[in-house]
Amino acid sequence: MAFKFTSGECNTAASSLNNSASKIGELLEEFGNLISSVSDNYQSDASSQIAEAFNSIKARGPEFQQAISDCARYLTDTVAPAYEKLEATAKSKVEGV
């Protein structure tokens, strides 16, 4: 089975990764609001523990978002141009035959 990957697909994958990074932030914010609401309405040790555990996870959200954004940037800045160069070289070799 042949594997085909182009520079355009690199950019598409990078865009998808950037969208995912953004969505992580949105979801963490939304869940945070829900957990705060629950904690406010049902003050108990359990709700406090859940809120504390979530806040610990939420604090790492920017780190995950940055890692995903870094992968996207690597695809657009390094991988896609390398594929463009490879595609151009391969095309020139085929045309030269």
Side-chain angles (χ1 to χ4, degrees):
M1 177 173 165
F3 178 73
K4 183 180 177 192
F5 197 73
T6 66
S7 60
E9 290 167 330
C10 286
N11 291 323
T12 299
S15 177
S16 179
L17 285 170
N18 281 324
N19 290 338
S20 295
S22 177
K23 189 70 174 171
I24 287 172
E26 292 169 16
L27 289 172
L28 286 173
E29 190 64 34
E30 184 178 337
F31 289 148
N33 291 338
L34 290 171
I35 288 174
S36 289
S37 178
V38 169
S39 292
D40 290 345
N41 291 310
Y42 301 100
Q43 295 180 2
S44 67
D45 289 340
S47 68
S48 295
Q49 290 172 351
I50 291 170
E52 187 176 313
F54 176 78
N55 287 334
S56 172
I57 293 168
K58 184 178 177 184
R60 297 198 61 202
E63 179 183 336
F64 291 125
Q65 287 176 282
Q66 186 61 51
I68 293 168
S69 295
D70 289 347
C71 287
R73 189 171 23 265
Y74 180 75
L75 282 173
T76 56
D77 294 351
T78 304
V79 178
Y83 269 99
E84 288 172 6
K85 183 177 179 183
L86 177 65
E87 290 165 355
T89 300
K91 184 177 178 181
S92 71
K93 298 290 183 186
V94 169
E95 290 174 351
V97 172

